Amino acid sequence: MNRFTRRIGAVGVLLLLAGSLAGCGSDSGGAGGASGGPMDATKAGLPKSADDVNGTIDKTKVKKSLVVGVDNPYYLFHHDIDVALAKGYFKEFGIDSVDIKTIEDPLPPLIGGSLDLALYDTDTAIAAAKKSGQGLRFLSVYLGGEANVLGVGKGINTGADLKGKTITGGQFGSRNDAIIRQLLRDNGVEPDRDVKIVSTGGQSNERLQSVIAGTVDGASIQLRHRTVLEKAGGKVLFEETREVPQSGWSANKLLQESPETVTAFLAATLKARQFITDQANKDEVLTIMRDKKFEIPTEYADAYAAENAPDYHVSDGGFKPADMDKFISDQITYKTVPEGTDWRQYTYLLPLWRAQKALGLPLNPAIADM
């Protein structure tokens, strides 16, 4: 299940910042030219082919120290950076240090300039880019798979056993809430008729604990929670997976001030991700993260193969435009993205393409598909 349950109100904070930040970024949008210079895609247009994309990173133009924001304390959202630091990949591309700030909503400080990049929900970032008009751009997918999982408590073994039970997908109006309802329907259970859907705060860890405690009978949980729930006497009742570009990196001022740094950051973290998604490196990755004081119990380590599969923790940072089309269309329906939003206008892919080329990877998405 998508771990994110965001309030549209967060975008309101961004709008309050907009007046004081006028002029710090362009709203011309799009995927930009091939030179690696400041973003003005409306004028520069897309590179015509992979040959027009410069994969050589000029380290003399790269900022040495960065501060980035991540919204989740779970190791999965930190290990690209920590592995890149441990393996020397950042230094390889000209960056000496990266300071990670764990912030519930990193978009306001990203727009304000205290963060260089932020890892956050794709839909929320694109919605904020449209509403704030401050040059915020989505850059690259981090998690491109979505596991929709209904975990239930003791004594529930079939869909029929859910009748009259209490289920939560998180906050009403969130993507989690919408897709848990769809998951129920796909398995013959009608929300608000066969079961009672309730709105709850917090993230998936809190929902898991609510099921274990019996506060609710079932909830949307994550892949890593399966073993924990089973040990408590519960089980995963329904499960679906799909390709959804649910989260990724965004930048704002750094794109204007040092686009070379954005490319260097993506190259280093994608190189780390190639290492992470190679299952042969699981033990080394987990050792690095435990040395960084992350708590990774055996039950969560057992989910490594699923959570770090190349098509889930997207190994090249890319995505299928058709998947993004559907995702943003869905989010417009759920009212988390403004009506009429064209995600391409708020997505800048040149740094990703340059990073992919620097690593010898095929350009994804292909230029022709954009």
Side-chain angles (χ1 to χ4, degrees), residues 1 65 126 186:
M1 186 74 68
S65 299
I126 289 173
D186 290 347

Side-chain angles (χ1 to χ4, degrees), residues 32 139 324 353:
L139 302 170
M324 187 70 81
W353 284 332

Side-chain angles (χ1 to χ4, degrees), residues 1-5 146-152 166-171 174-181 183-184 197-198 200-211 216-225 229 236 238:
M1 186 74 68
N2 188 333
R3 66 186 180 86
F4 305 110
T5 52
E146 184 176 66
N148 306 327
V149 181
L150 175 64
V152 296
T166 300
I167 307 294
T168 184
Q171 291 180 339
S174 68
R175 179 171 176 83
N176 277 325
D177 177 59
I179 60 181
I180 199 66
R181 292 170 186 266
L183 182 63
L184 289 167
I197 306 291
V198 296
T200 57
Q203 295 187 352
S204 58
N205 284 347
E206 288 79 10
R207 294 195 295 274
L208 169 69
Q209 292 306 317
S210 293
V211 175
V216 296
D217 299 298
S220 61
I221 61 173
Q222 289 290 328
L223 295 169
R224 62 183 176 273
H225 296 143
L229 182 58
V236 168
F238 303 142

